[in-house]
Amino acid sequence: MADAEARHVIEIGYGGNERLVMNMGPQHPSAHGVFRAILTLEGETVVAVDAVIGYLHRCHEKLAETLTYVQYPSIASKTDYVSAMTAELAYVAAVEKVGQIGVPKRAQYLRVLVAELQRIASHCLWLGTWCLDMGGALGGGATIFLYAIRERELILDLFEALTGARLLYGFHQVGGVRYDLPAGWPERCRQTVDLVDRRLDEYEAMLDDNAFFRVRTQGVGVISRELALDVGVCGPLIRGSGVAYDVRRTEPYSSYGDFDFKVPVETAGDCYARYRVRMVEFRESIKIVRQVLDGLPAGPISSRPGVKSVGQVRIPKGEGYTRVEGARGELGCYVVADGSAKPYRLKWRGASFSNLSILPHIIPGHKVADVVAIMGSVDPVFGEVDR
Amino acid sequence: MGETWDLVTAVGRAMGVTFRNFLRRPVTVRYPTVKRVYPDRFRGILALTYDGETGEENCIGCRLCEYICPPQVIKVEMLKAEKRNFAKTFTLELYACEFCELCVQVCPTDAIIMLKTFDVATADRRELLLDKDRLHALGLQHEPSWATGNRLRDMQAPPKPARAETGKTEAKEPAE
Amino acid sequence: MSPLLHHALVGFIVLNVVIGMVTYVTLLERKFAARMQSRIGPYYVGPHGLLQPIADALKLMMKEDVVPAAADRWVYNLAPLAFLVPCVLIFATIPFAPGLGVADLNIGVLFFLAVSSLEIVGLFMGGWGSNNKYALLSAMRAVNQIISYDLPFIFAALVPVVLRGAFGWFVGAYGVLGPLAFVAFLVATLAAENRVPFDILEAESELVAGFRVEYSGMKFALIQLAEYAHMIATSFLGALLFLGGWLGPGPAALGPVWFLLKAMLIFLVVTWVRWSFVRIRVDQILAISWKLLLPATLVLLMVTAFVVAARGAGGS
């Protein structure tokens, strides 16, 4: 737990001097995973929050040292399991950077395609669970949750037709991707994406101008621009606070430079701003998907032959770090290779791990009900946090 | 006053969306009476196959699948014979399998495949420790997935000069 | 038969009908909500889920009754009863047809409004007796909320009473005041019933069932029963006051049927609202009540009184 000096405790002068220490424990319907927040309350107002993580630690980084470069990509998808394609991409891109392995153009476009589809699916889950937390399992939140999951299922159906799996794909391999598009898939993808576009209008009609929603999210959890830059959050959190930082723009990887898309930025810094950022990201991802499908080149999907043995990929000595723009922010992977088929060391930079460090700064001063709104807008996935 | 009007229209809009969805057909698929259509590449449970023409077991006991499996659920013992090798024992712990399809990917003889079914739910975990007979039986009972080792490797391989036409990689897809 | 026996018999029948209705109203809500969410509701228990409420009732009766070790025994055990009794007692004053009611009180509406406010005692007993911080937090929020919304509820319910001096149709005679009062009544009902968007007290995602969190088995069933009974009772009241009660085309014997249909209409509208919105925070709920709804209903009631006085002085 945080030591006394580092805790951010605010004084309210409530009058009633009794402080209640309440545990929003690891088992909680709105903890977004396994997350423990020890809240110190004065009445309904939170004055301090101690975040306890580590309930989902599965030794990914040690596991990567025992698995080869061929075996680990399917495991990498289990860090950010909601947005598995970008997690695999981070690992595979890091290995390719260290080993200086080229990726054919078609494979790069396919990687962009699945990453953007995955971003749409991940944001669907974010929207659904956030509204579920705010609106209740028996209430309007559940309605939006089921609509969002209905759309997410369509995208998962696309992934199922492409790879055979719905959540954890194993789609990437070092040097390219494992699966090519089946017959009829581009058409289906276009139809799905058009449908999601239309349904997004419905969600915005339900939420955008809704006074109940606005009053829950506007002015709540404000991250100022300076605070965002100081603490080092990433992804929609920092874009909602006025900093136009998107790894796809600052350090284009996997041919993102070929596509025309906007990076949404809002200045308010509250939950509503982050909501708007993600809703625009939906549309931009749909735009990118359409551009990829229009311009997909023919060619091989991997610069290396298909995997025939476990030690097939050997990376010479070196180290390197790649970052990708996951749905939650900047997901980074640092690989130290030593010439064998297994990495010497792997380090994940989890986007949600860095994003969670903003919580002690923005939660104190809000009410208990705002804690769930803020947690939802931060959108952590604890596979990334605890690895 | 304008705020109240905004509130009323916002409420009306949200309730209108809910009402519109009320009139839509439910998307529920009433499993198990109704089953949805599984795509060709569906990664279901694993099975071992026999050769189409000779009826012999495809598995040559090379243990490549055992070495590549990340959670190490496959255990194979090789049986040497005159013309070709076989697998003496082949156990697969399905309860720990990740369904990553790497074993299918490396198999040189397309012996191990995945099926288009997942329905082996049981109350006893020992039933999910599949031995060779069970794996072969499953392979005969259910529909196989499109993905076999050779097909996957062909899809991934950079095209040789003789096959370097446009869309040649797409010709490997299934008919559907 | 003697009037006492007559009233007792009617009361017994009404009680059983109410309990039966409560269970089936849960099924109605679940199917209705499911259709709005692109899914089918309970389907497998009985044809199209018609036996689901019975299965739920049997399950609750068979469940183990878990009592927290440090709970305040008397308060904890009595709370469901203290919550249930007012919610069922208010059915005594509702006339299902002219003369067909359990107790024909001439202060029926006031009795209803007064007794329905007593449920807050049971609620707070439940929250306190559970020895659970979440339950206590929720009970405190509930006390705040229900007390704040009882006043607009009462004022909104009094508008048609003042206008007519009796029960009857509201369209035509009431002009614009009736519908306004109806809207205020619906909003106050949502809040007094702890329905979304005002259900911060249960808030499944934060407080996991609020004051009910430590109850299981039959006690939980009683609390559920009480909540839905209260909901239905206020739907009946709304149908009576604002939608014309038992008046409707057809023979007079169909009166109770029309009454039921109108009450279900109100219930469905409330359910529709419930499944469309996220909830708002407790301080925002209180702000809406004290700053918006209470002044509005107060003004509405005063205007109604003036209108009636003017009509009485100037007209017939």
Side-chain angles (χ1 to χ4, degrees):
Chain A
M1 284 192 226
D3 52 287
E5 299 91 37
R7 282 172 99 224
H8 296 266
V9 181
I10 64 171
E11 303 295 327
I12 295 188
Y14 179 59
N17 290 329
E18 306 207 347
R19 286 185 169 184
L20 184 69
V21 177
M22 191 167 89
N23 189 32
M24 251 171 109
Q27 295 138 318
H28 192 93
S30 68
H32 273 271
V34 276
F35 175 63
R36 184 174 174 207
I38 305 178
L39 305 170
T40 311
L41 304 174
E42 269 190 6
E44 276 268 332
T45 317
V46 178
V47 295
V49 59
D50 288 316
V52 181
I53 57 173
Y55 291 93
L56 196 54
H57 181 60
R58 295 158 296 168
C59 313
H60 263 274
E61 297 179 357
K62 177 66 183 172
L63 197 60
E65 294 173 20
T66 59
L67 294 173
T68 63
Y69 298 109
V70 159
Q71 290 170 305
Y72 191 70
S74 358
I75 313 290
S77 55
K78 300 180 208 307
T79 52
D80 184 356
Y81 44 80
V82 171
S83 175
M85 292 289 193
T86 44
E88 289 174 23
L89 179 58
Y91 174 73
V92 164
V95 173
E96 287 162 359
K97 187 169 182 180
V98 174
Q100 287 164 0
I101 298 174
V103 179
K105 200 71 173 170
R106 186 183 171 90
Q108 290 185 14
Y109 273 49
L110 284 178
R111 284 181 177 181
V112 170
L113 178 64
V114 294
E116 293 308 310
L117 279 175
Q118 183 72 77
R119 193 184 313 276
I120 300 173
S122 168
H123 283 344
C124 276
L125 187 75
W126 156 76
L127 185 67
T129 52
W130 190 39
C131 293
L132 188 66
D133 291 343
M134 288 201 297
L138 301 173
T143 310
I144 303 175
F145 173 72
L146 286 165
Y147 295 161
I149 294 299
R150 184 186 57 191
E151 267 65 83
R152 182 180 152 92
E153 289 287 309
L154 296 173
I155 299 181
L156 295 188
D157 285 342
L158 281 177
F159 282 146
E160 199 189 16
L162 177 63
T163 64
R166 292 178 77 87
L167 192 72
L168 302 166
Y169 312 103
F171 177 70
H172 295 77
Q173 67 177 22
V174 176
V177 298
R178 265 171 85 185
Y179 298 91
D180 204 343
L181 306 182
W185 199 91
E187 264 326 293
R188 224 176 122 187
C189 183
R190 271 185 229 272
Q191 284 169 0
T192 305
V193 153
D194 289 340
L195 180 71
V196 172
D197 213 355
R198 284 199 301 272
R199 294 280 164 82
L200 279 176
D201 296 330
E202 274 186 26
Y203 305 155
E204 291 187 336
M206 268 185 96
L207 292 175
D208 251 10
D209 292 322
N210 194 328
F212 300 123
F213 181 74
R214 279 197 169 212
V215 92
R216 265 324 271 283
T217 54
Q218 273 180 332
V220 170
V222 177
I223 304 177
S224 67
R225 194 195 150 100
E226 295 74 32
L227 184 66
L229 289 170
D230 271 343
V231 171
V233 295
C234 49
L237 273 74
I238 205 167
R239 289 197 283 277
S241 297
V243 180
Y245 180 74
D246 188 330
V247 182
R248 299 174 290 174
R249 263 296 145 73
T250 50
E251 261 183 56
Y253 53 94
S254 189
S255 302
Y256 264 105
D258 293 354
F259 304 110
D260 166 43
F261 61 97
K262 199 173 61 147
V263 169
V265 174
E266 299 268 334
T267 47
D270 56 8
C271 292
Y272 189 75
R274 296 191 276 276
Y275 157 79
R276 285 303 316 154
V277 164
R278 288 193 176 98
M279 295 306 276
V280 176
E281 277 184 10
F282 261 119
R283 309 258 187 207
E284 296 301 316
S285 292
I286 292 177
K287 224 162 83 175
I288 300 178
V289 165
R290 289 190 181 128
Q291 287 173 45
V292 172
L293 286 174
D294 289 336
L296 190 62
I301 57 170
S302 175
S303 63
R304 301 177 72 96
V307 170
K308 282 197 194 122
S309 80
V310 67
Q312 187 164 323
V313 177
R314 303 193 108 85
I315 306 288
K317 260 200 176 144
E319 50 192 58
Y321 178 77
T322 347
R323 59 186 85 172
V324 303
E325 182 73 19
R328 282 156 193 85
E330 179 183 318
L331 180 61
C333 187
Y334 182 73
V335 170
V336 177
D338 63 350
S340 70
K342 301 178 185 175
Y344 174 73
R345 174 79 171 99
L346 170 76
K347 162 91 174 85
W348 281 102
R349 189 253 188 218
S352 301
F353 184 75
S354 310
N355 289 349
L356 275 186
S357 53
I358 197 90
L359 288 182
H361 297 268
I362 57 174
I363 289 187
H366 288 292
K367 308 262 185 291
V368 174
D370 293 326
V371 174
V372 277
I374 296 172
M375 280 291 295
S377 76
V378 165
D379 191 21
V381 164
F382 285 86
E384 263 189 330
V385 173
D386 296 331
R387 305 182 277 274
Chain B
M1 204 53 221
E3 269 184 28
T4 322
W5 181 243
D6 285 340
L7 175 65
V8 169
T9 46
V11 163
R13 238 201 323 266
M15 287 171 73
V17 169
T18 327
F19 191 68
R20 205 176 335 147
N21 278 287
F22 182 77
L23 301 173
R24 280 195 185 130
R25 270 191 59 200
V27 295
T28 318
V29 172
R30 265 176 268 137
Y31 183 84
T33 31
V34 177
K35 288 192 171 49
R36 66 181 179 98
V37 176
Y38 300 115
D40 286 315
R41 299 185 189 178
F42 189 76
R43 288 188 204 164
I45 57 179
L46 292 139
L48 287 171
T49 54
Y50 295 105
D51 194 342
E53 291 123 38
T54 61
E56 275 191 342
E57 296 164 8
N58 268 328
C59 178
I60 56 172
C62 66
R63 306 178 80 187
L64 280 173
C65 54
E66 179 178 346
Y67 297 139
I68 203 167
C69 178
Q72 295 167 6
V73 305
I74 303 182
K75 302 279 184 291
V76 184
E77 282 176 9
M78 186 196 279
L79 175 70
K80 287 193 186 294
E82 316 97 40
K83 299 221 186 75
R84 50 157 284 190
N85 298 325
F86 288 91
K88 184 157 73 175
T89 60
F90 192 114
T91 46
L92 192 146
E93 297 169 81
L94 196 64
Y95 48 82
C97 173
E98 281 185 357
F99 296 90
C100 61
E101 219 173 24
L102 281 173
C103 53
V104 175
Q105 162 94 42
V106 293
C107 183
T109 56
D110 293 349
I112 188 167
I113 53 159
M114 293 182 105
L115 306 170
K116 273 160 85 163
T117 180
F118 50 84
D119 201 355
V120 284
T122 170
D124 187 357
R125 201 185 287 182
R126 288 170 293 191
E127 284 182 38
L128 293 178
L129 179 63
L130 307 175
D131 56 1
K132 198 166 111 161
D133 297 325
R134 182 94 195 277
L135 282 165
H136 276 294
L138 285 170
L140 292 174
Q141 273 170 352
H142 300 285
E143 196 187 340
S145 161
W146 170 86
T148 63
N150 283 307
R151 283 200 188 126
L152 285 174
R153 286 192 298 271
D154 285 342
M155 193 165 53
Q156 295 153 8
K160 303 195 182 55
R163 303 186 302 161
E165 326 152 32
T166 319
K168 188 59 185 172
T169 39
E170 264 124 327
K172 295 286 180 296
E173 283 93 49
E176 275 102 355
Chain C
M1 57 177 91
S2 72
L4 186 61
L5 196 58
H6 174 253
H7 283 306
L9 194 61
V10 173
F12 181 70
I13 293 175
V14 164
L15 189 63
N16 281 305
V17 166
V18 160
I19 292 179
M21 255 190 72
V22 161
T23 49
Y24 273 87
V25 142
T26 56
L27 180 67
L28 174 70
E29 174 163 28
R30 283 168 77 171
K31 297 289 273 184
F32 189 68
R35 289 286 158 156
M36 285 200 292
Q37 293 169 347
S38 282
R39 57 185 178 93
I40 48 184
Y43 188 76
Y44 291 102
V45 185
H48 283 273
L50 280 175
L51 294 180
Q52 179 77 40
I54 302 189
D56 285 340
L58 282 176
K59 173 206 77 168
L60 282 171
M61 281 196 257
M62 294 194 301
K63 261 194 189 294
E64 180 187 350
D65 193 12
V66 180
V67 177
D72 195 336
R73 303 301 299 276
W74 277 101
V75 174
Y76 177 82
N77 286 323
L78 279 181
L81 279 180
F83 190 53
L84 175 69
V85 166
C87 296
V88 175
L89 197 56
I90 48 186
F91 278 98
T93 57
I94 300 179
F96 295 97
L100 182 67
V102 177
D104 197 7
L105 298 177
N106 53 1
I107 52 156
V109 178
L110 288 179
F111 181 85
F112 186 106
L113 297 169
V115 171
S116 74
S117 330
L118 283 181
E119 60 160 9
I120 188 68
V121 174
L123 203 152
F124 195 69
M125 281 169 71
W128 173 261
S130 298
N131 190 45
N132 183 330
K133 283 177 192 166
Y134 285 110
L136 186 63
L137 205 59
S138 132
M140 293 198 291
R141 285 175 178 177
V143 168
N144 248 327
Q145 180 181 322
I146 295 184
I147 290 180
S148 314
Y149 277 90
D150 264 343
L151 282 172
F153 184 66
I154 291 172
F155 291 149
L158 283 180
V159 167
V161 173
V162 167
L163 274 175
R164 288 292 284 180
F167 310 124
W169 283 113
F170 86 119
V171 173
Y174 299 167
V176 80
L177 291 170
L180 280 180
F182 187 39
V183 169
F185 178 81
L186 281 180
V187 175
T189 301
L190 279 174
E193 297 299 322
N194 304 312
R195 309 290 273 192
V196 177
F198 303 111
D199 78 339
I200 197 70
L201 110 83
E202 37 184 56
E204 282 82 10
S205 41
E206 305 158 38
L207 302 180
V208 199
F211 75 99
R212 300 178 295 213
V213 69
E214 293 285 356
Y215 286 99
S216 59
M218 204 56 212
K219 293 190 198 128
F220 181 77
L222 286 179
I223 293 180
Q224 283 286 84
L225 188 72
E227 281 195 4
Y228 274 96
H230 195 187
M231 186 66 240
I232 296 175
T234 45
S235 305
F236 274 127
L237 184 75
L240 201 56
L241 292 177
F242 295 98
L243 294 183
W246 55 79
L247 296 177
L254 272 187
V257 175
W258 284 115
F259 195 23
L260 186 66
L261 285 177
K262 289 175 197 172
M264 285 301 105
L265 180 69
I266 295 186
F267 179 76
L268 283 182
V269 167
V270 167
T271 301
W272 187 9
V273 169
R274 176 189 196 188
W275 293 94
S276 303
F277 296 108
V278 298
R279 72 169 64 90
I280 51 181
R281 273 197 337 246
V282 66
D283 57 324
Q284 293 155 351
I285 296 177
L286 297 177
I288 290 183
S289 162
W290 292 102
K291 292 192 210 169
L292 182 66
L293 205 57
L294 183 61
T297 47
L298 203 53
V299 163
L300 198 63
L301 191 60
M302 285 201 295
V303 167
T304 312
F306 279 139
V307 163
V308 167
R311 233 196 300 149
S316 58

